[in-house]
Amino acid sequence: MNSLSRRRFLKITSASFGAAIAATSMSTVVKGSEKIEEKSGKKIKGVQKIPTFCDICFWKCGAIAYIKDGKLWKIEGHPEDPLSNGRLCPRGTGGIGAHFDQSRLKAPLLRKGPRGKEEFVEVTWDEALDFIAKKMNKIKADHGPEAMALFSHGIGGNFIKHLMKAYGTPNLTAPSFAQCRGPREVGFELTYGDVVGSPERTDIKNTKCLVLIGSHLGENMHNTQVQEFAEAVENGATIITVDPRFSVAASKAKHYLPIKPGTDMALLLAWMNVIVAEKLYNKEFIDNYAFGFEQFEYEIAQYTPEWAYIETTIDPEVIRETAREMARYAPATIIHPGRHTTWYGDDTQRSRAIALLNALMGNWGKKGGLYNPQSVSIPGYPYPPYPKSEKGAADNPHHKYPFAEGAEKISTGLREATLTGDPYPLKGWFVYATNLTQALPNTQETIDAIQKLDLLVVVDVVPSEIAGYADVVLPESVYLERYDDLNTPLFREGFVSLRQPVVEEPDDQKPNWWMAKKLADKLGLGNYFPWKDVEEYLDTRLKSAGLSLDQLKEKGVIKGPEQKIYNDANNPPNFYTSTGKVEFYSLRLKEVGFDPIPKYTKPEEPPIGSFRLLFGRAPVHTFSKTQSNRFLSDLMEENEVWINVDVAKRMGFKNGEYVRLKNQDGILSNKVKIKATERIRTDCVYMVHGFGQRSKMYRQTFNKGASDSQLITKYKIDPLMGGTGMNVNFVTIEWGA
Ligand SMILES: Nc1nc2c(c(=O)[nH]1)N[C@H]1C(S)=C(S)[C@@H](COP(=O)(O)OP(=O)(O)OC[C@H]3O[C@@H](n4cnc5c(=O)[nH]c(N)nc54)[C@H](O)[C@@H]3O)O[C@H]1N2
Ligand SMILES: Nc1nc2c(c(=O)[nH]1)N[C@H]1C(S)=C(S)[C@@H](COP(=O)(O)OP(=O)(O)OC[C@H]3O[C@@H](n4cnc5c(=O)[nH]c(N)nc54)[C@H](O)[C@@H]3O)O[C@H]1N2
Ligand code: SF4
Ligand SMILES: [Mo]
């Protein structure tokens, strides 16, 4: 979203807190921080409940942690939190394992051997931060502040982001853009002038027809969506699932379309062909709000279901029937925009096609469609202004990707700049809570870039793969042991929630805010951290919205006043595109030489004997961050490679047998178990992402399962926004462990 539309967007959706407290009753079900019943000598008896929010993934579900007799006992959903509705997903429930994790980093580490050899010595915090400050000052003096980049993921990165902005670099990035949902946000922004956002604006619980393209809800465990999905299924909603693999979501579907991987655009165009040809679209919405519909209508006429059949292998009659079914329930129909959308390199255009199919349903701002999210506004801390960078960011030299100019930078673009020195060399990386060797495609490129650096700092909780390459490793307190910044998401209702410490750190770990403030002092940037501690910071922000930290510590979640999330006659939708309409034909795309109406490109075929490598989520793990949590690793210790049962039989592979995968560039995976199943097409294999880490220090996970990231040596860059399409690698299956 460009900054103008973001500002407008916030203006129309943020409610002030003036009325909020009056609107929410103070009598929460949970009495946060209930008194510990008895304290005799060192023995603490009784149960204490402390509200906080989860960090096992980025959904930020409100939770209640229980302390029993002074020890962390369990964690449950916060009944008043809109994201958890009183329930956590299995990962969140197992979250307390992060505190007890045997693999945890205990003290700051300084590298002594060559990079990547994993030879470190323990040092004090002062020594570690002095080392970093000295290097950062030298980088600034020799190359300018822009030569430092920050890779971070999650709300825990906020204070370090602030520090890096104060230091003067614009190179702040997260894998959630170019490796995740960037194409979707750009595709929707180009079409509606607005993004999908996280949490997604999908009114799944009220929908009558839900179309899932990939989006493997039930394995993708984003809590609220899964709860709403279950509710929709229970209410008899029609589910249409498109996936080369019979996913958990497919098992709930009325129509399962086992599509040939990489051909979804053909299906989308054919669906729109049917809906337009049979005049099944929402005429009123199109008449009022569509721009360029005539050109679209003309162009879409060529994409018949028979044409799409050749590409997708989906029966033309099934395409017709499912298109009609979507239209039957519109506007209470959602074609889910997906989330991890960096698939084939034409992902922004596919997302645009999804946006247009939704527009044909007229579901914008409608119940059961795409609602208008709300938020509460809590002013930021009154910091001094940041220094301005003359050079600008390094992720997108020469504006190569014209639609990547928002706040979110291209992680792989910063890696590229580090490797090539274009537009200028990057000399230091600060890495917070992102395991770059797993999160970025082509692990070797990441390692090569790291070898060019003068400084690599990694803040982690365990000796992850990326920590193994660091010059300095800073051990962080886990989420149950610290405060983080306030959570004020755009959602069905506006609310603010708090992460607060529930237990103490077991060793010399420190929270991110403490590291950022300390390092700022050493860098001479102390004026950017005028607060005494994080409690003062949080209280200042909350007070400026008429609330207080004490209130939020007790309640965990405070809701804003009720706001409208659907449009009606008195409250029509606004589209912040250049035409003020939903753009079926995009002048902005046309201007810079891209297809103004989405077109289909054929994916490459796997060579004979090879399979396309696909990947996804397991319900009990988050990427590469939960593998040493014993509550979760007990449920799934390693990943498997899914292969069609007939193919396995023909090749002589048995279930449970160990094999290795070899990709088109000769890269060999760790050993991984065969899962021979009818639930996958014959032209692809599938595995869960996050396994197969090769850090020797990280003993609990070393060589457990195989890593998709290591096999993803090839990636196709989306020419619109720089996203890395990763579903473009082919593997053969090799015998033997
Ligand atoms: N348990 C758990 N849940 C998570 C996460 C986690 O780590 N663990 N991570 C969260 C995050 S950040 C994200 S982004 C989401 C990601 O979750 P999603 O957005 O749901 O990810 P996708 O890539 O859409 O989904 C993978 C599915 O797409 C299918 N697929 C692969 N190729 C194709 C294709 O060409 N066409 C079609 N139609 N389908 C295809 C795969 O078989 C698989 O079922 O999950 C979120 N939820
Ligand atoms: N091959 C491949 N690549 C992918 C994906 C894929 O499916 N396949 N998915 C993509 C998607 S959708 C996304 S969103 C990204 C996700 O990418 P990341 O968010 O980078 O995911 P992780 O690999 O889990 O890395 C998280 C790191 O944070 C550390 N960590 C955990 N808790 C804390 C904490 O409290 N503090 C600190 N400082 N560190 C902590 C973990 O130990 C781990 O090293 O990856 C993307 N890349
Ligand atoms: S979806 Fe699960 S892991 Fe993610 S924040 Fe919610 S409970 Fe935690
Ligand atoms: Mo993601």
Side-chain angles (χ1 to χ4, degrees):
M1 184 186 294
N2 64 41
S3 59
L4 178 67
S5 55
R6 184 180 295 276
R7 246 182 289 126
R8 272 172 168 166
F9 186 53
L10 291 175
K11 211 166 128 205
I12 47 172
T13 58
S14 295
S16 102
F17 255 112
I21 305 174
T24 34
S25 130
M26 290 295 288
S27 62
T28 8
V29 176
V30 178
K31 274 271 166 267
S33 308
E34 275 172 10
K35 290 277 168 300
I36 292 183
E37 284 167 4
E38 194 186 310
K39 228 177 176 179
S40 56
K42 277 193 186 146
K43 227 171 171 195
I44 306 170
K45 281 226 173 294
V47 174
Q48 190 188 15
K49 298 185 202 170
I50 305 174
T52 185
F53 65 85
C54 180
D55 192 41
I56 300 302
C57 83
F58 307 112
W59 202 251
K60 306 186 187 76
C61 295
I64 307 287
Y66 288 72
I67 306 291
K68 190 178 181 186
D69 300 341
K71 288 210 181 86
L72 181 58
W73 171 31
K74 63 174 180 180
I75 189 161
E76 291 178 348
H78 189 319
E80 301 207 355
D81 175 70
L83 291 172
S84 75
N85 299 306
R87 276 176 293 161
L88 300 181
C89 86
R91 297 169 296 155
T93 305
I96 56 166
H99 170 70
F100 298 111
D101 195 332
Q102 293 298 314
S103 306
R104 287 186 67 174
L105 295 163
K106 294 186 162 71
L109 302 175
L110 205 57
R111 178 170 64 81
K112 56 172 201 210
R115 276 213 184 99
K117 272 275 184 226
E118 302 181 53
E119 291 163 15
F120 294 95
V121 280
E122 280 192 12
V123 292
T124 64
W125 276 97
D126 257 333
E127 285 166 332
L129 296 175
D130 281 338
F131 179 92
I132 297 168
K134 209 168 134 203
K135 289 264 187 180
M136 280 178 70
N137 279 332
K138 180 153 180 9
I139 288 173
K140 195 188 237 178
D142 294 350
H143 307 278
E146 295 88 350
M148 279 298 300
L150 171 67
F151 295 78
S152 81
H153 202 181
I155 198 167
N158 282 17
F159 293 106
I160 295 180
K161 268 187 210 163
H162 168 59
L163 170 68
M164 298 305 274
K165 287 184 193 165
Y167 173 84
T169 179
N171 292 316
L172 278 48
T173 188
S176 46
F177 181 69
Q179 282 67 49
C180 179
R181 57 195 165 85
R184 173 190 87 179
E185 304 302 21
V186 175
F188 269 70
E189 154 82 3
L190 281 166
T191 311
Y192 289 97
D194 206 345
V195 297
V196 176
S198 172
E200 284 76 11
R201 60 198 306 158
T202 43
D203 192 8
I204 295 175
K205 75 173 170 195
N206 293 311
T207 201
K208 299 211 170 83
C209 177
L210 177 64
V211 183
L212 297 169
I213 303 169
S215 301
H216 54 331
L217 296 181
E219 288 156 298
N220 160 355
M221 285 306 277
H222 275 166
N223 193 359
T224 333
Q225 281 201 59
V226 176
Q227 289 182 20
E228 291 198 18
F229 180 46
E231 215 174 316
V233 170
E234 203 153 290
N235 293 339
T238 293
I239 311 295
I240 301 170
T241 303
V242 184
D243 198 311
R245 182 182 66 96
F246 190 78
S247 58
V248 169
S251 71
K252 310 287 178 209
K254 177 170 171 194
H255 302 277
Y256 166 53
L257 281 57
I259 196 165
K260 178 173 166 184
T263 65
D264 299 84
M265 179 71 103
L267 175 65
L268 287 158
L269 294 171
W271 271 339
M272 294 197 280
N273 169 288
V274 175
I275 289 163
V276 171
E278 299 185 7
K279 300 234 179 305
L280 301 174
Y281 55 85
N282 185 324
K283 191 163 179 312
E284 196 191 333
F285 184 84
I286 296 298
D287 286 350
N288 286 333
Y289 302 116
F291 174 81
F293 191 72
E294 274 166 28
Q295 289 102 313
F296 172 79
E297 196 174 14
Y298 174 79
E299 206 164 297
I300 206 80
Q302 61 190 301
Y303 303 116
T304 61
E306 281 68 22
W307 165 81
Y309 166 70
I310 308 289
E311 303 301 325
T312 61
T313 74
I314 307 296
D315 182 337
E317 277 321 302
V318 172
I319 298 179
R320 288 200 172 85
E321 197 188 335
T322 44
R324 289 173 193 143
E325 191 128 29
M326 285 178 222
R328 184 174 316 141
Y329 297 110
T333 293
I334 304 170
I335 296 84
H336 196 293
R339 183 175 177 105
H340 175 241
T341 44
T342 45
W343 285 359
Y344 297 95
D346 61 348
D347 306 303
T348 303
Q349 290 284 16
R350 186 184 66 254
S351 295
R352 225 177 94 66
I354 292 176
L356 293 177
L357 181 53
N358 277 296
L360 293 177
M361 301 294 121
N363 67 4
W364 192 263
K366 290 292 174 201
K367 190 167 180 187
L370 303 173
Y371 67 79
N372 301 313
Q374 308 298 326
S375 70
V376 294
S377 115
I378 301 214
Y381 194 94
Y383 288 130
Y386 298 121
K388 282 229 158 46
S389 161
E390 304 270 297
K391 289 187 193 161
D395 66 316
N396 187 17
H398 326 295
H399 308 286
K400 199 160 139 194
Y401 308 111
F403 300 102
E405 299 294 309
E408 303 213 58
K409 303 286 174 254
I410 307 168
S411 298
T412 28
L414 293 179
R415 180 177 74 181
E416 185 75 14
T418 310
L419 280 167
T420 61
D422 179 32
Y424 53 82
L426 293 175
K427 291 293 173 186
W429 287 9
F430 206 110
V431 177
Y432 176 87
T434 171
N435 193 3
L436 295 180
T437 52
Q438 291 277 331
L440 305 184
N442 198 329
T443 309
Q444 192 58 45
E445 263 181 72
T446 306
I447 295 169
D448 291 346
I450 287 172
Q451 300 299 2
K452 296 205 151 208
L453 297 174
D454 294 341
L455 176 67
L456 174 61
V457 181
V458 172
V459 186
D460 210 307
V461 291
V462 292
S464 59
E465 245 179 15
I466 186 69
Y469 289 92
D471 302 328
V472 192
V473 183
L474 303 178
E476 194 176 20
S477 325
V478 301
Y479 71 106
L480 295 160
E481 301 156 355
R482 66 176 198 244
Y483 284 105
D484 274 327
D485 209 348
L486 299 169
N487 180 35
T488 54
L490 281 155
F491 191 55
R492 287 180 176 281
E493 49 193 321
F495 68 93
V496 55
S497 57
L498 177 73
R499 176 172 293 150
Q500 63 178 319
V502 171
V503 278
E504 280 183 11
E505 300 84 356
D507 304 287
D508 199 12
Q509 297 92 353
K510 298 282 183 198
N512 58 72
W513 66 263
W514 183 92
M515 295 176 210
K517 184 172 165 62
K518 263 276 208 248
L519 186 54
D521 283 342
K522 291 183 190 287
L523 286 165
L525 298 169
N527 58 323
Y528 283 92
F529 288 79
W531 31 269
K532 176 170 92 326
D533 55 24
V534 72
E535 293 194 338
E536 189 179 300
Y537 163 89
L538 293 168
D539 200 41
T540 307
R541 283 195 66 193
L542 287 164
K543 289 242 164 78
S544 66
L547 302 173
S548 76
L549 180 58
D550 282 342
Q551 263 177 333
L552 198 56
K553 275 170 81 167
E554 185 185 315
K555 293 165 75 73
V557 178
I558 297 179
K559 296 178 185 176
E562 211 172 300
Q563 289 172 279
K564 279 196 174 153
I565 62 167
Y566 303 125
N567 294 121
D568 55 33
N570 301 324
N571 175 31
N574 287 309
F575 300 106
Y576 299 108
T577 52
S578 54
T579 58
K581 303 234 166 181
V582 180
E583 299 195 343
F584 279 78
Y585 184 98
S586 168
L587 296 169
R588 280 173 75 198
L589 282 170
K590 173 83 177 153
E591 252 167 46
V592 283
F594 292 105
D595 297 331
I597 295 167
K599 284 193 165 59
Y600 174 68
T601 25
K602 248 184 203 306
E604 233 178 286
E605 296 283 336
I608 293 173
S610 287
F611 305 89
R612 188 181 292 277
L613 175 67
L614 304 180
F615 45 87
R617 310 282 174 247
V620 298
H621 281 289
T622 302
F623 317 116
S624 75
K625 76 187 257 182
T626 45
Q627 278 73 8
S628 60
N629 175 328
R630 82 188 149 83
F631 296 118
L632 301 177
S633 64
D634 273 4
L635 300 173
M636 180 179 175
E637 202 182 8
E638 58 190 298
N639 58 355
E640 305 171 293
V641 56
W642 293 42
I643 177 166
N644 179 275
V645 68
D646 295 332
V647 174
K649 221 181 265 168
R650 205 164 56 232
M651 295 177 75
F653 290 120
K654 287 198 199 68
N655 235 333
E657 181 169 15
Y658 278 107
V659 294
R660 287 177 195 268
L661 305 182
K662 190 176 178 182
N663 81 353
Q664 70 281 334
D665 296 318
I667 299 290
L668 206 59
S669 76
N670 286 355
K671 65 186 171 68
V672 57
K673 271 186 193 162
I674 287 272
K675 173 180 168 128
T677 168
E678 284 166 4
R679 291 173 51 190
I680 189 162
R681 286 173 59 102
T682 55
D683 50 6
C684 50
V685 295
Y686 173 86
M687 60 204 263
V688 167
H689 167 67
F691 287 85
Q693 293 202 58
R694 287 176 175 172
S695 163
K696 291 196 192 70
M697 298 193 293
Y698 197 9
R699 256 178 264 122
Q700 276 85 342
T701 64
F702 180 62
N703 273 347
K704 289 224 172 100
S707 159
D708 55 336
S709 311
Q710 280 151 13
L711 295 166
I712 299 174
T713 47
K714 205 168 127 192
Y715 51 94
K716 259 199 169 158
I717 301 190
D718 191 318
L720 275 71
M721 47 61 72
T724 52
M726 301 193 269
N727 294 16
V728 296
N729 290 267
F730 301 117
V731 294
T732 54
I733 299 173
E734 308 287 316
W735 286 100

